[in-house]
Amino acid sequence: VSTQSTGKIKETIEDVVGDRQYLYVGTRTCSLHKVSLSSFDVEAHISMMLPDNENWTLYDILLIEDNLWIAVKYKSLSSCLHIMKCDSFDNYQTLPLFVHNDYIVSMRRIGEMCLITSTDGLTSVWSIKTKSMTHSFQDSHSSILTAQVSGENLLQSVKSGFSVFSECDFALHKTNFTLSKFIVCEELGHIYGIDKAAQDTIRCFSSYNFVHLENLDICYTINKVEKKQFYNLVLHGNKYLVLATRDCSLLVYNVKNKCFVRSIPNAHTDLISCMITTEDGKIITGSKSLDGTITVWIDMFDD
């Protein structure tokens, strides 16, 4: 395993997205940094000019074609969306839009629409072409933890199950488990998620009928005593589950062979707040530490 890092950001990293050439790194203080994937230098950065700036926090970025969709919150009272072109760092302009009265937990793309969901169950639907909201819908279930897309459906993690929006209605699927974070593997028809009540366990469900697949549960134990507490997860290529733990370790699990293939202890000095993988097999991580380090992990997969 080899790594590349940049520690030039010097702020707490909240999210990172990337294309083939650049990473776009968002920090808690509403700064954006454009990092070259070839030289790993910070080529440009901006501070988002917001009124009453110290009370705003950036916490989510979605890259759609050549635009960054950026979610910021104000004192946890409301959330706003900013849309910015990736090539406009030298001529900084964003389109600020009021979105929700609560904390945004997900921004997901389905076709030509972007679905933005907040904890109170409100989802606003935005046209990617016009960058305007077309309509919204309200889930009767409050306290949405996170959401993902499966096919044309929006899957929301709620207490003891999933709330699934399809066409124009919600359906509740009880599983008796609450997931703090989850991802969908379309090829295998599986959902993998961190059990909110037992964070040393990754639960697996069928993405077709939401049945709990007990034989596919993953519980990683060190010396059969010390259990890892999982904090974050992403999927790479429908084959690998990349897991970050609360003790800042980085793990790679082969979901087809049902085995761990990499374990990197102390990958960062603080919680790994964001992770993405690239088409050529790199894992990119950022942590909540104040040093603002982004690390690229190479040769983490076993093929």
Side-chain angles (χ1 to χ4, degrees):
V1 175
S2 58
T3 63
Q4 292 175 286
S5 294
T6 177
K8 299 175 182 178
I9 294 172
K10 305 300 182 186
E11 293 182 65
T12 300
I13 294 166
E14 288 293 332
D15 203 8
V16 59
V17 295
D19 54 26
R20 292 179 181 273
Q21 291 181 290
Y22 295 102
L23 298 176
Y24 302 95
V25 183
T27 70
R28 183 170 298 174
T29 58
C30 298
S31 292
L32 287 166
H33 301 257
K34 186 177 182 179
V35 179
S36 167
L37 271 174
S38 56
S39 66
F40 224 55
D41 291 329
V42 179
E43 294 195 357
H45 74 276
I46 58 169
S47 294
M48 297 174 67
M49 303 305 296
L50 301 167
D52 198 13
N53 199 65
E54 65 275 10
N55 287 309
W56 289 92
T57 304
L58 181 152
Y59 61 96
D60 198 7
I61 308 174
L62 179 64
L63 178 61
I64 301 180
E65 294 161 359
D66 60 347
N67 287 288
L68 298 172
W69 294 55
I70 306 157
V72 296
K73 65 178 178 178
Y74 181 77
K75 290 184 179 178
S76 299
L77 299 175
S78 62
S79 301
C80 286
L81 172 70
H82 285 248
I83 301 175
M84 168 185 168
K85 283 195 171 294
C86 293
D87 60 2
S88 66
F89 276 75
D90 294 331
N91 183 24
Y92 167 60
Q93 290 181 332
T94 65
L95 181 63
L97 303 161
F98 177 75
V99 183
H100 287 242
N101 287 320
D102 212 331
Y103 185 75
I104 292 173
V105 291
S106 83
M107 295 193 294
R108 299 286 179 254
R109 180 178 185 171
I110 296 181
E112 293 306 307
M113 309 302 289
C114 178
L115 278 62
I116 300 176
T117 304
S118 54
T119 55
D120 57 2
L122 179 67
T123 296
S124 56
V125 181
W126 294 73
S127 164
I128 292 171
K129 183 178 180 179
T130 64
K131 301 179 181 61
S132 61
M133 188 177 80
T134 61
H135 61 285
S136 64
F137 46 84
Q138 178 70 51
D139 193 346
S140 60
H141 305 93
S142 58
S143 301
I144 307 296
L145 295 172
T146 186
Q148 294 285 351
V149 167
S150 178
E152 296 295 310
N153 301 327
L154 181 69
L155 278 55
Q156 300 181 140
S157 176
V158 298
K159 185 177 180 180
S160 300
F162 296 95
S163 181
V164 181
F165 181 79
S166 178
E167 296 180 351
C168 59
D169 200 10
F170 284 96
L172 178 64
H173 298 267
K174 297 284 284 186
T175 64
N176 297 321
F177 297 101
T178 304
L179 303 181
S180 57
K181 294 181 180 177
F182 73 94
I183 49 90
V184 181
C185 179
E186 298 281 12
E187 183 178 303
L188 298 178
H190 291 161
I191 297 169
Y192 299 96
I194 301 172
D195 189 327
K196 193 172 185 290
Q199 295 182 24
D200 60 342
T201 302
I202 302 294
R203 301 285 178 191
C204 182
F205 303 87
S206 164
S207 61
Y208 304 114
N209 56 17
F210 303 96
V211 170
H212 182 221
L213 305 174
E214 295 183 67
N215 61 319
L216 293 178
D217 281 352
I218 307 162
C219 189
Y220 185 77
T221 306
I222 295 180
N223 297 327
K224 299 181 181 179
V225 178
E226 181 191 350
K227 292 186 177 181
K228 292 284 188 185
Q229 298 285 315
F230 295 111
Y231 181 73
N232 212 342
L233 76 170
V234 295
L235 189 69
H236 177 71
N238 289 316
K239 183 178 179 182
Y240 297 99
L241 199 57
V242 183
L243 300 156
T245 67
R246 288 191 173 274
D247 66 358
C248 308
S249 298
L250 196 61
L251 310 170
V252 178
Y253 184 84
N254 186 316
V255 297
K256 294 187 176 180
N257 296 337
K258 301 179 186 177
C259 64
F260 284 89
V261 298
R262 289 286 184 273
S263 176
I264 309 293
N266 304 314
H268 281 271
T269 59
D270 207 336
L271 290 171
I272 298 172
S273 55
C274 51
M275 299 191 297
I276 59 173
T277 67
T278 62
E279 292 179 1
D280 58 356
K282 297 183 179 71
I283 302 172
I284 299 166
T285 58
S287 82
K288 289 185 176 294
S289 63
L290 293 175
D291 61 9
T293 298
I294 288 284
T295 301
V296 177
W297 304 86
I298 303 165
D299 300 324
M300 290 285 282
F301 304 108
D302 60 356
D303 54 12

